[in-house]
Amino acid sequence: DVKVTQSSRYLVKRTGEKVFLECVQDMDHENMFWYRQDPGLGLRLIYFSYDVKMKEKGDIPEGYSVSREKKERFSLILESASTNQTSMYLCASSLWDRERYGYTFGSGTRLTVV
Amino acid sequence: AQTVTQSQPEMSVQEAETVTLSCTYDTSESDYYLFWYKQPPSRQMILVIRQEAYKQQNATENRFSVNFQKAAKSFSLKISDSQLGDAAMYFCAYRSADGGTSYGKLTFGQGTILTVHP
């Protein structure tokens, strides 16, 4: 079965810490995405990548960066965590040429910044 | 930019009954894809159904069907014979067919929490 794996299900970090959220997919997908999910706001796109070492800003990139050194791995980085970054973070991947299909999602990381 | 709106934060249905979840979207594009995703308490997002905008026929997947009204920019999900396992958060999503610039980005609505009563 195809998989998108997020390294942590729950994470608690302190304000000001540098936080890494890891995502790995085993489907050889070109595209990878990071979303955050908040009640009443749905899922909002933070960053995405369509190839190794390539990245594009989504709708809410402020306070975040990303890294994609290998095709299967896409990392989200909170340079200096703040309480307003407490949220659920979802990683997803998709094939480049399968536009009419949706994503494969990870099961999310619930991050609490205290 | 495209927007997706789900105006029902919560819905409930009796087991075996039918429920309809609403979704509207705004776009200037003529070709696109629409999706409904289900997120149960396990958090794993599951694709329920998809619709290609160029197809007039409404998509159907077993007990799930959509009512796609392109002119009205409406995309509702109908769940027939509701089951306890249908209880979840449901998200409507839009994806441009222009792969060259969008890279397959999905735009999501706010979500609707569906409760199924036994």
Side-chain angles (χ1 to χ4, degrees):
Chain A
D1 198 11
V2 295
K3 284 282 191 293
V4 175
T5 303
Q6 294 185 232
S7 55
S8 303
R9 189 164 176 84
Y10 296 95
L11 212 51
V12 179
K13 295 293 182 180
R14 295 191 180 278
T15 302
E17 276 193 78
K18 190 170 186 177
V19 181
F20 293 85
L21 302 184
E22 306 289 345
C23 176
V24 177
Q25 50 97 1
D26 63 359
M27 298 164 285
D28 202 32
H29 282 177
E30 294 88 358
N31 300 336
M32 296 188 75
F33 306 84
W34 275 107
Y35 284 84
R36 66 176 280 175
Q37 180 180 350
D38 300 289
L41 298 177
L43 278 71
R44 293 178 291 166
L45 181 63
I46 304 171
Y47 267 96
F48 64 102
S49 169
Y50 53 91
D51 201 353
V52 176
K53 297 191 184 295
M54 304 303 290
K55 60 184 180 183
E56 293 285 340
K57 292 180 179 179
D59 300 319
I60 51 165
E62 297 78 17
Y64 303 94
S65 63
V66 290
S67 172
R68 195 168 180 197
E69 296 297 319
K70 294 183 178 181
K71 190 175 185 179
E72 67 270 18
R73 185 180 296 271
F74 191 37
S75 303
L76 180 69
I77 304 160
L78 287 64
E79 296 290 343
S80 178
S82 64
T83 55
N84 63 12
Q85 292 178 311
T86 292
S87 186
M88 169 80 80
Y89 290 88
L90 289 168
C91 176
S93 69
S94 72
L95 279 170
W96 174 262
D97 62 346
R98 302 291 291 273
E99 289 181 356
R100 65 196 187 100
Y101 294 98
Y103 294 172
T104 301
F105 282 89
S107 54
T109 295
R110 189 173 294 282
L111 173 67
T112 302
V113 182
V114 297
Chain B
Q2 295 82 21
T3 59
V4 178
T5 302
Q6 294 177 247
S7 58
Q8 305 156 318
E10 298 181 23
M11 291 285 284
S12 64
V13 64
Q14 291 293 132
E15 199 174 4
E17 297 294 311
T18 296
V19 64
T20 298
L21 308 184
S22 300
C23 173
T24 58
Y25 58 95
D26 188 24
T27 184
S28 59
E29 298 176 331
S30 59
D31 197 14
Y32 47 86
Y33 306 100
L34 296 165
F35 304 86
W36 278 99
Y37 279 90
K38 171 186 176 181
Q39 186 183 44
S42 69
R43 303 188 209 159
Q44 186 66 53
M45 295 277 273
I46 302 164
L47 178 63
V48 175
I49 199 165
R50 64 176 177 268
Q51 174 80 42
E52 289 128 331
Y54 64 86
K55 289 187 177 179
Q56 293 186 347
Q57 186 174 4
N58 289 325
T60 299
E61 290 286 344
N62 300 313
R63 297 183 295 107
F64 299 87
S65 62
V66 299
N67 184 5
F68 173 49
Q69 302 288 329
K70 191 172 184 179
K73 297 179 182 175
S74 171
F75 183 61
S76 60
L77 174 70
K78 186 172 82 171
I79 306 174
S80 304
D81 186 25
S82 296
Q83 300 176 0
L84 294 177
D86 295 333
M89 174 83 85
Y90 286 81
F91 290 98
C92 177
Y94 171 103
R95 181 174 183 173
S96 172
D98 179 4
T101 58
S102 73
Y103 301 106
K105 290 186 294 182
L106 278 174
T107 300
F108 288 86
Q110 299 88 340
T112 298
I113 299 172
L114 178 65
T115 302
V116 181
H117 298 289

